Amino acid sequence: MPTIDLTGKVAVVTGSGRGLGLAYAHALAAHGARVVVNDVDEAVAEQAVKSITEAGGTAVAEVVAVGTAEAADRLVARAVTEFGRLDVLVTNAGILRDKVLWKMTDDDFDAVVATHLRGTFTCARAAAVRMREQGEGGSLILVGSPAGQRGNFGQTNYAAAKAGIAAMARTWSMELGRAGITVNAIVPVAATAMTETIPVFAPYVEALRDGTPLPDFLRKGEGFGTPEDCAALVPFLASAAARQVTGQCIGIGGDKVALWSHPQEIRAAYADGGWTPETLAAAWHTSVGAEPQTVGIPAPKLPEA
């Protein structure tokens, strides 16, 4: 079994003051990386740094709202100033502004896209510039979501941003391959403040907070666990053991890890000379439309009482 050793590596983890981001930062530090923690709340960021250093790791905080090029440059500069280099970027920062389409405002849409999609873009761009200058490769680990793979009711802004992040991972894996920089999107599913808003998960998240372990039907059947369960994927992708892993969307949660497929044609039909609306209508249900694709995140299958 290979040893995952990130000694000498430097990582930036956006949105790492709490939840999944904090778990990622802890996991990287536990495997030897020095970490720049990021949050918009200074007290939260400093507490995160304290928890990492008390566990034997090395970390500093950079308090800034992710989204702008200036914020991205600050994060990269902090890594270089404090630790001399940058090897790993984890783009975890995010917010929610959930509403159905007809109630979602421009501000609701723009705020989520600015943090998730633009924030991932600006931070990845700044990190890629630095990594290419260093000439020693690196790892961009972008945080996606099942909503970006499947869509989710009430999450136009979030689902669109996360779908864009998956597309950027594929694109950047091609653009940065020659520089030895791997780019992957992870798709975590965990008990967090975000998933606690989903009614079917809420009682289990609350029970977990009180010390009751999640049941197997969630950990195995749904791949739903703690933030720490998801964190293992990050040091792996940042390590030498994953040098050949790039351009992938990888799900993790509970006891489950999975590789998401990329969009591709699944069925085709042909008509000499091209199609008309009438010939499409005649052929649809017995050709390309015979097995329409499903949408949305499937509801958990609760055990029978």
Side-chain angles (χ1 to χ4, degrees), residues 59-126:
V60 296
E62 183 66 21
V63 179
V64 65
V66 166
T68 65
E70 291 76 16
D73 290 341
R74 275 181 55 180
L75 289 166
V76 172
R78 187 63 188 279
V80 175
T81 300
E82 291 286 340
F83 303 124
R85 58 185 299 109
L86 177 64
D87 304 283
V88 182
L89 171 70
V90 184
T91 59
N92 176 73
I95 60 173
L96 290 178
R97 298 288 187 274
D98 293 355
K99 288 189 179 81
V100 291
L101 173 60
W102 55 95
K103 293 183 179 180
M104 185 171 289
T105 67
D106 288 0
D107 287 343
D108 293 330
F109 185 87
D110 291 344
V112 170
V113 169
T115 302
H116 286 276
L117 191 62
R118 185 178 178 83
T120 295
F121 162 67
T122 53
C123 288
R125 179 178 60 186

Side-chain angles (χ1 to χ4, degrees), residues 31-298:
H31 286 82
R34 293 165 289 175
V35 182
V36 176
V37 168
N38 161 251
D39 200 274
V40 295
D41 186 317
E42 183 175 5
V44 169
E46 291 298 343
Q47 180 57 41
V49 168
K50 182 180 178 182
S51 70
I52 291 170
T53 55
E54 287 180 347
T58 302
V60 296
E62 183 66 21
V63 179
V64 65
V66 166
T68 65
E70 291 76 16
D73 290 341
R74 275 181 55 180
L75 289 166
V76 172
R78 187 63 188 279
V80 175
T81 300
E82 291 286 340
F83 303 124
R85 58 185 299 109
L86 177 64
D87 304 283
V88 182
L89 171 70
V90 184
T91 59
N92 176 73
I95 60 173
L96 290 178
R97 298 288 187 274
D98 293 355
K99 288 189 179 81
V100 291
L101 173 60
W102 55 95
K103 293 183 179 180
M104 185 171 289
T105 67
D106 288 0
D107 287 343
D108 293 330
F109 185 87
D110 291 344
V112 170
V113 169
T115 302
H116 286 276
L117 191 62
R118 185 178 178 83
T120 295
F121 162 67
T122 53
C123 288
R125 179 178 60 186
V129 168
R130 176 63 193 183
M131 290 174 186
R132 292 180 78 250
E133 288 174 351
Q134 291 173 177
E136 300 175 26
S139 303
L140 303 184
I141 303 169
L142 318 181
V143 180
S145 166
Q149 306 291 320
R150 302 273 307 168
N152 197 33
F153 190 96
Q155 291 195 311
T156 293
N157 44 13
Y158 180 75
K162 291 301 191 182
I165 286 169
M168 290 194 296
R170 298 172 191 130
T171 300
W172 297 340
S173 71
M174 294 183 283
E175 294 179 347
L176 295 171
R178 290 185 63 184
I181 301 169
T182 61
V183 190
N184 294 284
I186 64 174
V187 184
V189 181
T192 66
M194 286 187 178
T195 53
E196 191 175 11
T197 63
I198 303 171
V200 71
F201 288 138
Y204 298 101
V205 177
E206 181 63 30
L208 180 66
R209 189 179 294 115
D210 294 335
T212 303
L214 292 169
D216 273 358
F217 86 89
L218 283 179
R219 290 190 58 84
K220 291 183 170 60
E222 302 300 326
F224 182 85
T226 67
E228 289 71 26
D229 291 322
C230 296
L233 186 55
V234 171
F236 164 67
L237 289 174
S239 75
R243 282 301 85 202
Q244 304 305 313
V245 182
T246 193
Q248 304 304 301
C249 293
I250 307 166
I252 190 167
D255 297 329
K256 178 182 178 182
V257 65
L259 186 67
W260 282 88
S261 67
H262 292 178
Q264 59 185 343
E265 297 175 346
I266 60 170
R267 187 185 291 264
Y270 302 88
D272 291 340
W275 292 90
T276 67
E278 292 76 14
T279 55
L280 280 169
W284 181 261
H285 294 291
T286 58
S287 58
V288 292
E291 297 181 26
Q293 300 297 286
T294 60
V295 299
I297 302 170

